[in-house]
Amino acid sequence: MTTSSRTLLVACAIALSAGLSTAAPALSAPGPDDRSAPRTVLDVRDLPQGDPPAVAWSERRGGRTVIHGTTGTRTPVAGAVDELAPMGSGYVVQTRYGRRTQWVGADGSPGRRVWRSGHGLAVSARGRAVAFAGRAGKVWSVDRQGDRVLSFTPVPTSGTARAVALVGEDCKESATSNGCTVHVNGPRRAWYTSSHGIVDRVPRLRLVSTGRGRWLGGITSLSDTGSCSALLRSSAVRWRTCDNQLSDLSPDNRRVLGTPAYADGFGPGSLDVLATADGSVEHSFTSARDGSSATYFDEVWEDPEHVLVVTYQADRWAVVRLGVDGSMEFAVAPRRGTMDLRAPFGLQTR
C-alpha cells in the first residue's frame, strides 16, 4: 500500500470520525500488544547492494517514466505513475496528476480508453484481475486479456470512490468462473460490489485498507490519538489492534504489514511485520531515537519472506529490501533527491 493511499485512507477516516465520539470504542478482542519482538533500526545509509526487485517498479528521471519489468524489460509511460499493476501483456497504470487510469502494452502503446478515477488499484491474489473506481461510485475491472474492461454496479457513495481489494481471478462470469467482488472505499465507509450485481456495505469495517483472498483488513474507528483496525477472514474478525493500520498481506497470507496507527508528518519511520494468525509482532523496523533513520513511502511484499519499501534518508531515495529476519539491502541503488519532490521510484500494487 503506497503512502499516498495511506494518507487518503486516514483523511477518509478523519472525516468519518467527525460523526463519531472522539474516544475510540472499547475492543472486544484486542490483538496481542507484543512489543518485545526483534527490532531493526531503519537506517539505510550503508547497505549492501542486492538483486533488483522481483516485482515491477517505476522510475521517474528527467521528466520521463519507465516501468521496469521482472525480466529486465523497460516500458515507457506518459506522465508520472502513481500506481501500477502487471496485467496481461502490459500494465494497468494510474497517473499521479489528473488521476487517469489506463492499460498500456509492454512497448508503452496505450489501450483504447482512459478513465478518470479515484486513487488506487485493487489487484487479485494471483494478479489476474485489477479493479479501479471513480466518481459516483463507479467501478471497473481489467483482466489478463489486457484491455478487456468490465463495469460493475456502482456503490452508493458520494464523491470519488477508491478500489482497495479484489476477490476472484476472473470478473467475467462463465462456466469456469464465479466472477469477482471489489471492495471500495467511499469518503465515509467501505462497500463491495460483485459481478453478480450485488452491492452492500463491508461488514465490521468502516474503511478497507488491505485484502487478499478470504482475508480483509481495515479501520474500525479513529480518535484524536490514533486508529483501531481489525483483520477478518471470511468476514469473521480474527483479531483487532490499536497499534497499527494494516497494509499489504503477504503472498502466502501468513503475515500482514502494520504501519503506524496514526499517519502524520513527512512519512512513517516504523513498520511492523504481524502474524495473520493472531496479530503478534514478528519483527519491527523502527525509527532511530535521534531521528536520523529513514522514512518510507511504499510497502509491498516481494515474496513471503521479503518486503520492498521506497525510502528517503540523508537526501537520497532508494528501494530497500527488508527481510522478516531483520536483514536489509538495496534493491535499487540510492539516488540523490530532496524531500520537496515526490519519490522517483514506485512499486507495483499487489
Side-chain angles (χ1 to χ4, degrees), residues 156-182:
T157 184
S158 61
T160 302
R162 183 171 73 87
V164 183
L166 191 159
V167 180
E169 299 296 330
D170 186 348
C171 293
K172 184 174 180 59
E173 294 184 47
S174 66
T176 59
S177 170
N178 292 321
C180 73
T181 299
V182 183

mmCIF file with all atom_site columns, all heavy atoms in Angstrom, residues 156-182:
data_model
loop_
_atom_site.group_PDB
_atom_site.id
_atom_site.type_symbol
_atom_site.label_atom_id
_atom_site.label_alt_id
_atom_site.label_comp_id
_atom_site.label_asym_id
_atom_site.label_entity_id
_atom_site.label_seq_id
_atom_site.pdbx_PDB_ins_code
_atom_site.Cartn_x
_atom_site.Cartn_y
_atom_site.Cartn_z
_atom_site.occupancy
_atom_site.B_iso_or_equiv
_atom_site.pdbx_formal_charge
_atom_site.auth_seq_id
_atom_site.auth_comp_id
_atom_site.auth_asym_id
_atom_site.auth_atom_id
_atom_site.pdbx_PDB_model_num
ATOM 1   N N   . PRO A 1 156 ? -23.188 2.997   -3.617  1.00 0.00 ? 156 PRO A N   1
ATOM 2   C CA  . PRO A 1 156 ? -23.917 4.236   -3.311  1.00 0.00 ? 156 PRO A CA  1
ATOM 3   C C   . PRO A 1 156 ? -23.106 5.182   -2.437  1.00 0.00 ? 156 PRO A C   1
ATOM 4   O O   . PRO A 1 156 ? -23.347 5.313   -1.232  1.00 0.00 ? 156 PRO A O   1
ATOM 5   C CB  . PRO A 1 156 ? -25.164 3.719   -2.582  1.00 0.00 ? 156 PRO A CB  1
ATOM 6   C CG  . PRO A 1 156 ? -24.692 2.467   -1.918  1.00 0.00 ? 156 PRO A CG  1
ATOM 7   C CD  . PRO A 1 156 ? -23.682 1.850   -2.849  1.00 0.00 ? 156 PRO A CD  1
ATOM 8   N N   . THR A 1 157 ? -22.137 5.838   -3.018  1.00 0.00 ? 157 THR A N   1
ATOM 9   C CA  . THR A 1 157 ? -21.309 6.758   -2.245  1.00 0.00 ? 157 THR A CA  1
ATOM 10  C C   . THR A 1 157 ? -21.179 8.077   -2.983  1.00 0.00 ? 157 THR A C   1
ATOM 11  O O   . THR A 1 157 ? -21.197 8.123   -4.213  1.00 0.00 ? 157 THR A O   1
ATOM 12  C CB  . THR A 1 157 ? -19.912 6.156   -1.995  1.00 0.00 ? 157 THR A CB  1
ATOM 13  O OG1 . THR A 1 157 ? -19.154 7.028   -1.168  1.00 0.00 ? 157 THR A OG1 1
ATOM 14  C CG2 . THR A 1 157 ? -19.161 5.946   -3.301  1.00 0.00 ? 157 THR A CG2 1
ATOM 15  N N   . SER A 1 158 ? -21.069 9.142   -2.234  1.00 0.00 ? 158 SER A N   1
ATOM 16  C CA  . SER A 1 158 ? -20.855 10.449  -2.843  1.00 0.00 ? 158 SER A CA  1
ATOM 17  C C   . SER A 1 158 ? -19.364 10.654  -3.076  1.00 0.00 ? 158 SER A C   1
ATOM 18  O O   . SER A 1 158 ? -18.524 9.982   -2.495  1.00 0.00 ? 158 SER A O   1
ATOM 19  C CB  . SER A 1 158 ? -21.392 11.550  -1.917  1.00 0.00 ? 158 SER A CB  1
ATOM 20  O OG  . SER A 1 158 ? -20.710 11.515  -0.674  1.00 0.00 ? 158 SER A OG  1
ATOM 21  N N   . GLY A 1 159 ? -19.038 11.572  -3.940  1.00 0.00 ? 159 GLY A N   1
ATOM 22  C CA  . GLY A 1 159 ? -17.635 11.835  -4.208  1.00 0.00 ? 159 GLY A CA  1
ATOM 23  C C   . GLY A 1 159 ? -17.014 10.741  -5.057  1.00 0.00 ? 159 GLY A C   1
ATOM 24  O O   . GLY A 1 159 ? -17.682 9.974   -5.730  1.00 0.00 ? 159 GLY A O   1
ATOM 25  N N   . THR A 1 160 ? -15.679 10.677  -4.997  1.00 0.00 ? 160 THR A N   1
ATOM 26  C CA  . THR A 1 160 ? -14.923 9.713   -5.794  1.00 0.00 ? 160 THR A CA  1
ATOM 27  C C   . THR A 1 160 ? -14.546 8.512   -4.952  1.00 0.00 ? 160 THR A C   1
ATOM 28  O O   . THR A 1 160 ? -14.020 8.660   -3.849  1.00 0.00 ? 160 THR A O   1
ATOM 29  C CB  . THR A 1 160 ? -13.650 10.375  -6.356  1.00 0.00 ? 160 THR A CB  1
ATOM 30  O OG1 . THR A 1 160 ? -14.028 11.502  -7.149  1.00 0.00 ? 160 THR A OG1 1
ATOM 31  C CG2 . THR A 1 160 ? -12.869 9.409   -7.219  1.00 0.00 ? 160 THR A CG2 1
ATOM 32  N N   . ALA A 1 161 ? -14.828 7.319   -5.456  1.00 0.00 ? 161 ALA A N   1
ATOM 33  C CA  . ALA A 1 161 ? -14.538 6.088   -4.728  1.00 0.00 ? 161 ALA A CA  1
ATOM 34  C C   . ALA A 1 161 ? -13.117 5.612   -5.014  1.00 0.00 ? 161 ALA A C   1
ATOM 35  O O   . ALA A 1 161 ? -12.480 6.042   -5.978  1.00 0.00 ? 161 ALA A O   1
ATOM 36  C CB  . ALA A 1 161 ? -15.539 5.006   -5.111  1.00 0.00 ? 161 ALA A CB  1
ATOM 37  N N   . ARG A 1 162 ? -12.617 4.706   -4.181  1.00 0.00 ? 162 ARG A N   1
ATOM 38  C CA  . ARG A 1 162 ? -11.267 4.160   -4.335  1.00 0.00 ? 162 ARG A CA  1
ATOM 39  C C   . ARG A 1 162 ? -11.311 2.652   -4.155  1.00 0.00 ? 162 ARG A C   1
ATOM 40  O O   . ARG A 1 162 ? -11.738 2.146   -3.120  1.00 0.00 ? 162 ARG A O   1
ATOM 41  C CB  . ARG A 1 162 ? -10.325 4.780   -3.303  1.00 0.00 ? 162 ARG A CB  1
ATOM 42  C CG  . ARG A 1 162 ? -8.889  4.315   -3.435  1.00 0.00 ? 162 ARG A CG  1
ATOM 43  C CD  . ARG A 1 162 ? -7.973  5.131   -2.541  1.00 0.00 ? 162 ARG A CD  1
ATOM 44  N NE  . ARG A 1 162 ? -8.126  4.818   -1.140  1.00 0.00 ? 162 ARG A NE  1
ATOM 45  C CZ  . ARG A 1 162 ? -7.471  3.840   -0.509  1.00 0.00 ? 162 ARG A CZ  1
ATOM 46  N NH1 . ARG A 1 162 ? -6.643  3.070   -1.190  1.00 0.00 ? 162 ARG A NH1 1
ATOM 47  N NH2 . ARG A 1 162 ? -7.637  3.628   0.768   1.00 0.00 ? 162 ARG A NH2 1
ATOM 48  N N   . ALA A 1 163 ? -10.891 1.904   -5.172  1.00 0.00 ? 163 ALA A N   1
ATOM 49  C CA  . ALA A 1 163 ? -10.848 0.447   -5.087  1.00 0.00 ? 163 ALA A CA  1
ATOM 50  C C   . ALA A 1 163 ? -9.662  0.025   -4.231  1.00 0.00 ? 163 ALA A C   1
ATOM 51  O O   . ALA A 1 163 ? -8.558  0.547   -4.383  1.00 0.00 ? 163 ALA A O   1
ATOM 52  C CB  . ALA A 1 163 ? -10.732 -0.154  -6.479  1.00 0.00 ? 163 ALA A CB  1
ATOM 53  N N   . VAL A 1 164 ? -9.868  -0.953  -3.346  1.00 0.00 ? 164 VAL A N   1
ATOM 54  C CA  . VAL A 1 164 ? -8.822  -1.371  -2.411  1.00 0.00 ? 164 VAL A CA  1
ATOM 55  C C   . VAL A 1 164 ? -8.504  -2.855  -2.530  1.00 0.00 ? 164 VAL A C   1
ATOM 56  O O   . VAL A 1 164 ? -7.336  -3.248  -2.484  1.00 0.00 ? 164 VAL A O   1
ATOM 57  C CB  . VAL A 1 164 ? -9.224  -1.043  -0.958  1.00 0.00 ? 164 VAL A CB  1
ATOM 58  C CG1 . VAL A 1 164 ? -8.099  -1.416  0.004   1.00 0.00 ? 164 VAL A CG1 1
ATOM 59  C CG2 . VAL A 1 164 ? -9.585  0.426   -0.808  1.00 0.00 ? 164 VAL A CG2 1
ATOM 60  N N   . ALA A 1 165 ? -9.507  -3.706  -2.661  1.00 0.00 ? 165 ALA A N   1
ATOM 61  C CA  . ALA A 1 165 ? -9.273  -5.153  -2.666  1.00 0.00 ? 165 ALA A CA  1
ATOM 62  C C   . ALA A 1 165 ? -10.192 -5.823  -3.669  1.00 0.00 ? 165 ALA A C   1
ATOM 63  O O   . ALA A 1 165 ? -11.330 -5.393  -3.875  1.00 0.00 ? 165 ALA A O   1
ATOM 64  C CB  . ALA A 1 165 ? -9.494  -5.735  -1.273  1.00 0.00 ? 165 ALA A CB  1
ATOM 65  N N   . LEU A 1 166 ? -9.692  -6.902  -4.287  1.00 0.00 ? 166 LEU A N   1
ATOM 66  C CA  . LEU A 1 166 ? -10.453 -7.644  -5.293  1.00 0.00 ? 166 LEU A CA  1
ATOM 67  C C   . LEU A 1 166 ? -10.354 -9.136  -4.975  1.00 0.00 ? 166 LEU A C   1
ATOM 68  O O   . LEU A 1 166 ? -9.252  -9.669  -4.833  1.00 0.00 ? 166 LEU A O   1
ATOM 69  C CB  . LEU A 1 166 ? -9.896  -7.340  -6.693  1.00 0.00 ? 166 LEU A CB  1
ATOM 70  C CG  . LEU A 1 166 ? -10.693 -7.810  -7.914  1.00 0.00 ? 166 LEU A CG  1
ATOM 71  C CD1 . LEU A 1 166 ? -10.281 -6.987  -9.131  1.00 0.00 ? 166 LEU A CD1 1
ATOM 72  C CD2 . LEU A 1 166 ? -10.461 -9.279  -8.222  1.00 0.00 ? 166 LEU A CD2 1
ATOM 73  N N   . VAL A 1 167 ? -11.499 -9.786  -4.882  1.00 0.00 ? 167 VAL A N   1
ATOM 74  C CA  . VAL A 1 167 ? -11.562 -11.217 -4.602  1.00 0.00 ? 167 VAL A CA  1
ATOM 75  C C   . VAL A 1 167 ? -12.051 -11.938 -5.853  1.00 0.00 ? 167 VAL A C   1
ATOM 76  O O   . VAL A 1 167 ? -13.127 -11.644 -6.365  1.00 0.00 ? 167 VAL A O   1
ATOM 77  C CB  . VAL A 1 167 ? -12.505 -11.520 -3.416  1.00 0.00 ? 167 VAL A CB  1
ATOM 78  C CG1 . VAL A 1 167 ? -12.549 -13.019 -3.145  1.00 0.00 ? 167 VAL A CG1 1
ATOM 79  C CG2 . VAL A 1 167 ? -12.060 -10.768 -2.175  1.00 0.00 ? 167 VAL A CG2 1
ATOM 80  N N   . GLY A 1 168 ? -11.268 -12.882 -6.343  1.00 0.00 ? 168 GLY A N   1
ATOM 81  C CA  . GLY A 1 168 ? -11.597 -13.590 -7.571  1.00 0.00 ? 168 GLY A CA  1
ATOM 82  C C   . GLY A 1 168 ? -10.582 -13.261 -8.644  1.00 0.00 ? 168 GLY A C   1
ATOM 83  O O   . GLY A 1 168 ? -10.005 -12.171 -8.669  1.00 0.00 ? 168 GLY A O   1
ATOM 84  N N   . GLU A 1 169 ? -10.360 -14.201 -9.559  1.00 0.00 ? 169 GLU A N   1
ATOM 85  C CA  . GLU A 1 169 ? -9.324  -14.020 -10.573 1.00 0.00 ? 169 GLU A CA  1
ATOM 86  C C   . GLU A 1 169 ? -9.882  -13.714 -11.961 1.00 0.00 ? 169 GLU A C   1
ATOM 87  O O   . GLU A 1 169 ? -9.128  -13.370 -12.859 1.00 0.00 ? 169 GLU A O   1
ATOM 88  C CB  . GLU A 1 169 ? -8.439  -15.272 -10.640 1.00 0.00 ? 169 GLU A CB  1
ATOM 89  C CG  . GLU A 1 169 ? -7.708  -15.583 -9.345  1.00 0.00 ? 169 GLU A CG  1
ATOM 90  C CD  . GLU A 1 169 ? -6.714  -14.516 -8.945  1.00 0.00 ? 169 GLU A CD  1
ATOM 91  O OE1 . GLU A 1 169 ? -6.159  -13.864 -9.854  1.00 0.00 ? 169 GLU A OE1 1
ATOM 92  O OE2 . GLU A 1 169 ? -6.500  -14.316 -7.736  1.00 0.00 ? 169 GLU A OE2 1
ATOM 93  N N   . ASP A 1 170 ? -11.194 -13.836 -12.130 1.00 0.00 ? 170 ASP A N   1
ATOM 94  C CA  . ASP A 1 170 ? -11.812 -13.571 -13.426 1.00 0.00 ? 170 ASP A CA  1
ATOM 95  C C   . ASP A 1 170 ? -13.157 -12.912 -13.159 1.00 0.00 ? 170 ASP A C   1
ATOM 96  O O   . ASP A 1 170 ? -14.064 -13.543 -12.625 1.00 0.00 ? 170 ASP A O   1
ATOM 97  C CB  . ASP A 1 170 ? -11.978 -14.871 -14.216 1.00 0.00 ? 170 ASP A CB  1
ATOM 98  C CG  . ASP A 1 170 ? -12.477 -14.630 -15.633 1.00 0.00 ? 170 ASP A CG  1
ATOM 99  O OD1 . ASP A 1 170 ? -12.912 -13.499 -15.934 1.00 0.00 ? 170 ASP A OD1 1
ATOM 100 O OD2 . ASP A 1 170 ? -12.443 -15.575 -16.445 1.00 0.00 ? 170 ASP A OD2 1
ATOM 101 N N   . CYS A 1 171 ? -13.290 -11.654 -13.504 1.00 0.00 ? 171 CYS A N   1
ATOM 102 C CA  . CYS A 1 171 ? -14.506 -10.909 -13.182 1.00 0.00 ? 171 CYS A CA  1
ATOM 103 C C   . CYS A 1 171 ? -15.636 -11.143 -14.168 1.00 0.00 ? 171 CYS A C   1
ATOM 104 O O   . CYS A 1 171 ? -16.748 -10.664 -13.958 1.00 0.00 ? 171 CYS A O   1
ATOM 105 C CB  . CYS A 1 171 ? -14.187 -9.421  -13.082 1.00 0.00 ? 171 CYS A CB  1
ATOM 106 S SG  . CYS A 1 171 ? -13.116 -9.008  -11.677 1.00 0.00 ? 171 CYS A SG  1
ATOM 107 N N   . LYS A 1 172 ? -15.375 -11.857 -15.241 1.00 0.00 ? 172 LYS A N   1
ATOM 108 C CA  . LYS A 1 172 ? -16.434 -12.178 -16.194 1.00 0.00 ? 172 LYS A CA  1
ATOM 109 C C   . LYS A 1 172 ? -16.993 -13.553 -15.863 1.00 0.00 ? 172 LYS A C   1
ATOM 110 O O   . LYS A 1 172 ? -16.288 -14.564 -15.944 1.00 0.00 ? 172 LYS A O   1
ATOM 111 C CB  . LYS A 1 172 ? -15.903 -12.160 -17.629 1.00 0.00 ? 172 LYS A CB  1
ATOM 112 C CG  . LYS A 1 172 ? -16.989 -12.382 -18.681 1.00 0.00 ? 172 LYS A CG  1
ATOM 113 C CD  . LYS A 1 172 ? -16.438 -12.219 -20.075 1.00 0.00 ? 172 LYS A CD  1
ATOM 114 C CE  . LYS A 1 172 ? -17.511 -12.451 -21.138 1.00 0.00 ? 172 LYS A CE  1
ATOM 115 N NZ  . LYS A 1 172 ? -18.639 -11.507 -20.987 1.00 0.00 ? 172 LYS A NZ  1
ATOM 116 N N   . GLU A 1 173 ? -18.260 -13.612 -15.483 1.00 0.00 ? 173 GLU A N   1
ATOM 117 C CA  . GLU A 1 173 ? -18.871 -14.882 -15.117 1.00 0.00 ? 173 GLU A CA  1
ATOM 118 C C   . GLU A 1 173 ? -18.993 -15.787 -16.344 1.00 0.00 ? 173 GLU A C   1
ATOM 119 O O   . GLU A 1 173 ? -19.341 -15.346 -17.431 1.00 0.00 ? 173 GLU A O   1
ATOM 120 C CB  . GLU A 1 173 ? -20.244 -14.648 -14.504 1.00 0.00 ? 173 GLU A CB  1
ATOM 121 C CG  . GLU A 1 173 ? -20.190 -13.909 -13.173 1.00 0.00 ? 173 GLU A CG  1
ATOM 122 C CD  . GLU A 1 173 ? -21.564 -13.785 -12.549 1.00 0.00 ? 173 GLU A CD  1
ATOM 123 O OE1 . GLU A 1 173 ? -22.265 -14.814 -12.521 1.00 0.00 ? 173 GLU A OE1 1
ATOM 124 O OE2 . GLU A 1 173 ? -21.921 -12.697 -12.118 1.00 0.00 ? 173 GLU A OE2 1
ATOM 125 N N   . SER A 1 174 ? -18.676 -17.045 -16.132 1.00 0.00 ? 174 SER A N   1
ATOM 126 C CA  . SER A 1 174 ? -18.741 -18.020 -17.219 1.00 0.00 ? 174 SER A CA  1
ATOM 127 C C   . SER A 1 174 ? -18.853 -19.409 -16.614 1.00 0.00 ? 174 SER A C   1
ATOM 128 O O   . SER A 1 174 ? -18.969 -19.568 -15.394 1.00 0.00 ? 174 SER A O   1
ATOM 129 C CB  . SER A 1 174 ? -17.483 -17.930 -18.092 1.00 0.00 ? 174 SER A CB  1
ATOM 130 O OG  . SER A 1 174 ? -16.336 -18.319 -17.355 1.00 0.00 ? 174 SER A OG  1
ATOM 131 N N   . ALA A 1 175 ? -18.775 -20.429 -17.467 1.00 0.00 ? 175 ALA A N   1
ATOM 132 C CA  . ALA A 1 175 ? -18.856 -21.810 -16.979 1.00 0.00 ? 175 ALA A CA  1
ATOM 133 C C   . ALA A 1 175 ? -17.660 -22.163 -16.108 1.00 0.00 ? 175 ALA A C   1
ATOM 134 O O   . ALA A 1 175 ? -17.716 -23.093 -15.307 1.00 0.00 ? 175 ALA A O   1
ATOM 135 C CB  . ALA A 1 175 ? -18.944 -22.769 -18.170 1.00 0.00 ? 175 ALA A CB  1
ATOM 136 N N   . THR A 1 176 ? -16.564 -21.414 -16.254 1.00 0.00 ? 176 THR A N   1
ATOM 137 C CA  . THR A 1 176 ? -15.347 -21.711 -15.484 1.00 0.00 ? 176 THR A CA  1
ATOM 138 C C   . THR A 1 176 ? -15.011 -20.629 -14.473 1.00 0.00 ? 176 THR A C   1
ATOM 139 O O   . THR A 1 176 ? -13.953 -20.664 -13.859 1.00 0.00 ? 176 THR A O   1
ATOM 140 C CB  . THR A 1 176 ? -14.153 -21.894 -16.438 1.00 0.00 ? 176 THR A CB  1
ATOM 141 O OG1 . THR A 1 176 ? -13.981 -20.699 -17.208 1.00 0.00 ? 176 THR A OG1 1
ATOM 142 C CG2 . THR A 1 176 ? -14.383 -23.078 -17.367 1.00 0.00 ? 176 THR A CG2 1
ATOM 143 N N   . SER A 1 177 ? -15.893 -19.641 -14.283 1.00 0.00 ? 177 SER A N   1
ATOM 144 C CA  . SER A 1 177 ? -15.612 -18.546 -13.370 1.00 0.00 ? 177 SER A CA  1
ATOM 145 C C   . SER A 1 177 ? -16.858 -18.145 -12.604 1.00 0.00 ? 177 SER A C   1
ATOM 146 O O   . SER A 1 177 ? -17.956 -18.093 -13.163 1.00 0.00 ? 177 SER A O   1
ATOM 147 C CB  . SER A 1 177 ? -15.075 -17.333 -14.136 1.00 0.00 ? 177 SER A CB  1
ATOM 148 O OG  . SER A 1 177 ? -15.004 -16.198 -13.303 1.00 0.00 ? 177 SER A OG  1
ATOM 149 N N   . ASN A 1 178 ? -16.681 -17.842 -11.303 1.00 0.00 ? 178 ASN A N   1
ATOM 150 C CA  . ASN A 1 178 ? -17.774 -17.357 -10.467 1.00 0.00 ? 178 ASN A CA  1
ATOM 151 C C   . ASN A 1 178 ? -17.764 -15.835 -10.358 1.00 0.00 ? 178 ASN A C   1
ATOM 152 O O   . ASN A 1 178 ? -18.482 -15.269 -9.542  1.00 0.00 ? 178 ASN A O   1
ATOM 153 C CB  . ASN A 1 178 ? -17.678 -17.963 -9.064  1.00 0.00 ? 178 ASN A CB  1
ATOM 154 C CG  . ASN A 1 178 ? -17.935 -19.453 -9.072  1.00 0.00 ? 178 ASN A CG  1
ATOM 155 O OD1 . ASN A 1 178 ? -18.813 -19.940 -9.797  1.00 0.00 ? 178 ASN A OD1 1
ATOM 156 N ND2 . ASN A 1 178 ? -17.174 -20.193 -8.275  1.00 0.00 ? 178 ASN A ND2 1
ATOM 157 N N   . GLY A 1 179 ? -16.935 -15.195 -11.178 1.00 0.00 ? 179 GLY A N   1
ATOM 158 C CA  . GLY A 1 179 ? -16.869 -13.744 -11.128 1.00 0.00 ? 179 GLY A CA  1
ATOM 159 C C   . GLY A 1 179 ? -15.979 -13.258 -10.003 1.00 0.00 ? 179 GLY A C   1
ATOM 160 O O   . GLY A 1 179 ? -15.144 -13.999 -9.470  1.00 0.00 ? 179 GLY A O   1
ATOM 161 N N   . CYS A 1 180 ? -16.141 -12.009 -9.623  1.00 0.00 ? 180 CYS A N   1
ATOM 162 C CA  . CYS A 1 180 ? -15.287 -11.427 -8.588  1.00 0.00 ? 180 CYS A CA  1
ATOM 163 C C   . CYS A 1 180 ? -16.061 -10.400 -7.780  1.00 0.00 ? 180 CYS A C   1
ATOM 164 O O   . CYS A 1 180 ? -17.181 -10.012 -8.128  1.00 0.00 ? 180 CYS A O   1
ATOM 165 C CB  . CYS A 1 180 ? -14.042 -10.792 -9.215  1.00 0.00 ? 180 CYS A CB  1
ATOM 166 S SG  . CYS A 1 180 ? -14.375 -9.244  -10.107 1.00 0.00 ? 180 CYS A SG  1
ATOM 167 N N   . THR A 1 181 ? -15.444 -9.950  -6.687  1.00 0.00 ? 181 THR A N   1
ATOM 168 C CA  . THR A 1 181 ? -16.006 -8.927  -5.809  1.00 0.00 ? 181 THR A CA  1
ATOM 169 C C   . THR A 1 181 ? -14.943 -7.867  -5.567  1.00 0.00 ? 181 THR A C   1
ATOM 170 O O   . THR A 1 181 ? -13.782 -8.196  -5.306  1.00 0.00 ? 181 THR A O   1
ATOM 171 C CB  . THR A 1 181 ? -16.452 -9.524  -4.463  1.00 0.00 ? 181 THR A CB  1
ATOM 172 O OG1 . THR A 1 181 ? -17.472 -10.512 -4.698  1.00 0.00 ? 181 THR A OG1 1
ATOM 173 C CG2 . THR A 1 181 ? -16.990 -8.456  -3.534  1.00 0.00 ? 181 THR A CG2 1
ATOM 174 N N   . VAL A 1 182 ? -15.332 -6.600  -5.670  1.00 0.00 ? 182 VAL A N   1
ATOM 175 C CA  . VAL A 1 182 ? -14.405 -5.489  -5.469  1.00 0.00 ? 182 VAL A CA  1
ATOM 176 C C   . VAL A 1 182 ? -14.821 -4.718  -4.218  1.00 0.00 ? 182 VAL A C   1
ATOM 177 O O   . VAL A 1 182 ? -15.986 -4.328  -4.078  1.00 0.00 ? 182 VAL A O   1
ATOM 178 C CB  . VAL A 1 182 ? -14.392 -4.543  -6.677  1.00 0.00 ? 182 VAL A CB  1
ATOM 179 C CG1 . VAL A 1 182 ? -13.359 -3.430  -6.468  1.00 0.00 ? 182 VAL A CG1 1
ATOM 180 C CG2 . VAL A 1 182 ? -14.106 -5.305  -7.964  1.00 0.00 ? 182 VAL A CG2 1
#
